[in-house]
Amino acid sequence: MKKIEVLGSGCPNCVKLAANAQQAIAMTGVEAEIVKVTDYKEIMAYGIMSTPGLVIDGKVVSYGRIPSPGDIALWLSE
Amino acid sequence: MTTVSLGAVRGRFHLPLKLTVGISVVAWLIAWFTEAPLSDWLTFSVFGLERGSHFGEAIAFFLLDVPKVMLLLLGIITVVTLIRGFFPPEKVRAALAGRGTVAGSVTAAGFGIVTPFCSCSAVPLFIGFVEAGIPLGVTFAFLISSPMVNEVALVLLWGLFGPGIALVYMAAGLTVAIIGGLVIGKLGMERYVEDYVWALQGKGGALVEVKLTWEDRIHDAWAYTKDLVKRITPYLLIGIGIGALIHGYAPTDLVAAIGGRSNPLAVPIVVLIALPLYSNAAGTIPIVQALLGKGMPMGTTLAFMMAITAISLPEFIILRRVIKWQLIAVFATVVTIGVLFIGYLFNFLIA
């Protein structure tokens, strides 16, 4: 079970990113849960300021942009 | 599932990257060089409007400006966004950490030009800067410069008026940001930052380097540009519409009476008019263009534009989450004084 964290205060971009992550899960068939992190304290702890950020199993894979479902699928299957 | 099939999933452009970029550039150039004669032909030959009439000139201005501004926006924002992608706020923060107020303010103002900024990211950015121990003045130099030296406005000014005025606009914005940062730094306003922000100091993670390919970057830039152009098009059409009306109908005397050189209060008046106007910098450019055409001096026009972009009520309300009203008031005052100063200075310089 992988853990995907979407970092951001609930802006439209974060919603879009979460949707892309959902699509990536469907594409790969990898078992994963999506958690939304909205608390700035926790976001800062990952060393990023530009949201939305994407963290997979505790590792920051992207920030300040919306990766495509295909991108996320690649990271998920790594 | 193998990596190869995932690679196919990853492909975004239907054609190879270089071909896509090449075709786009050629199409843009063709449109750029044919739009002026096309709009002229449409207005005066197809619609049969009379050259020199109020209505004809207004329509010609509108039809000339809409495609022109659209092409500029699409082309140059894509390029600018591509460049900006190399300067995320995380890198700026790393570059600013440990600098003193003076060197820091200058650097921060400079970064403000190229760093992406929107009012929705002001709060995490502010917390992130404070958290890294960057002085308050330096943080504000960045917060002033980033919206004030708006890259969209910069490229539009460059495209419509040439590099001189664009550079003047940039220099003016940088000056206000640097001086603003220094003043706020000197005032010792640290106690007006919310306590929970200070509590986060030193708790942040290290800079994470995420490698992006050129294809990622070009795709991101294009997606951002499409989204931005879609959002600002209504403002732009309104702006160009107002600009067209001013161009066709507003008597030169009226503009000269309110905004002209003979009125010593012209600068504060246009700043007051601009205060409640917060649309979008790009939307103001056609109005600015028309006002300049009607003889409004450069300094007054610049002050009007900067007041619209940099004195933003929504941003102040968002910033209330991290700083108290007193500091917001100082921030707003410093920016307003800076804008007034620039207005008078350029009216004096460009006589």
Side-chain angles (χ1 to χ4, degrees), chain A residues 7-11 14 37-45 47-53 63-64, chain B residues 89-90 93 116-134 139 142-143 196-197 200 204 315 318-323:
Chain A
L7 317 181
S9 57
C11 50
C14 314
V37 179
T38 52
D39 182 27
Y40 284 126
K41 205 158 113 189
E42 286 175 55
I43 296 175
M44 294 292 148
I48 73 161
M49 288 186 287
S50 13
T51 55
Y63 55 83
Chain B
E90 286 78 5
R93 175 171 67 167
F117 178 85
C118 71
S119 43
C120 61
S121 61
V123 166
L125 198 122
F126 186 89
I127 298 178
F129 273 34
V130 170
E131 182 270 307
I134 293 169
T139 304
F142 183 83
L143 282 179
Y196 80 93
V197 178
L200 290 174
E315 192 197 328
I318 286 170
L319 277 176
R320 178 60 194 88
R321 288 165 69 178
V322 281
I323 55 181

Side-chain angles (χ1 to χ4, degrees), chain A residues 27 40-41 44-50 60-63 65 68 70-71 73-74 77, chain B residues 1 6 9-10 12 89-90 93 123-125 128 200 204-206 208 210 212 220 321:
Chain A
M27 279 161 81
Y40 284 126
K41 205 158 113 189
M44 294 292 148
Y46 282 109
I48 73 161
M49 288 186 287
S50 13
V60 178
V61 290
S62 132
Y63 55 83
R65 60 189 291 265
S68 69
D71 281 330
L74 265 184
S77 49
Chain B
M1 191 176 272
L6 271 174
V9 162
R10 204 164 180 248
R12 302 169 171 120
E90 286 78 5
R93 175 171 67 167
V123 166
L125 198 122
L200 290 174
V208 193
V210 171
L212 293 176
D220 279 1
R321 288 165 69 178

Side-chain angles (χ1 to χ4, degrees), chain A residues 18-19 24 54:
Chain A
L54 188 71

Side-chain angles (χ1 to χ4, degrees), chain B residues 184-261:
Chain B
I184 291 174
K186 271 270 177 287
L187 289 175
M189 303 291 287
E190 279 75 8
R191 65 179 180 281
Y192 295 117
V193 174
E194 294 290 348
D195 292 336
Y196 80 93
V197 178
W198 291 123
L200 290 174
Q201 202 160 31
K203 298 258 172 65
L207 174 67
V208 193
E209 192 81 54
V210 171
K211 288 260 174 286
L212 293 176
T213 64
W214 274 100
E215 188 168 350
D216 287 332
R217 290 181 186 279
I218 291 173
H219 177 267
D220 279 1
W222 179 237
Y224 174 86
T225 306
K226 270 194 301 190
D227 183 57
L228 183 77
V229 170
K230 217 185 283 171
R231 274 189 293 125
I232 65 181
T233 297
Y235 299 104
L236 205 63
L237 291 180
I238 294 168
I240 296 174
I242 297 173
L245 287 179
I246 295 173
H247 187 84
Y249 289 98
T252 311
D253 295 352
L254 179 74
V255 176
I258 298 172
R261 201 171 300 281

Side-chain angles (χ1 to χ4, degrees), chain B residues 65-134:
Chain B
D65 253 33
V66 171
K68 190 176 183 183
V69 172
M70 280 297 173
L71 281 170
L72 271 174
L73 282 174
L74 284 177
I76 310 183
I77 294 178
T78 309
V79 175
V80 171
T81 311
L82 198 58
I83 297 169
R84 286 194 326 188
F86 291 93
F87 302 93
E90 286 78 5
K91 274 193 192 160
V92 174
R93 175 171 67 167
L96 290 177
R99 281 181 202 258
T101 308
V102 177
S105 293
V106 175
T107 319
F111 274 124
I113 308 170
V114 285
T115 309
F117 178 85
C118 71
S119 43
C120 61
S121 61
V123 166
L125 198 122
F126 186 89
I127 298 178
F129 273 34
V130 170
E131 182 270 307
I134 293 169

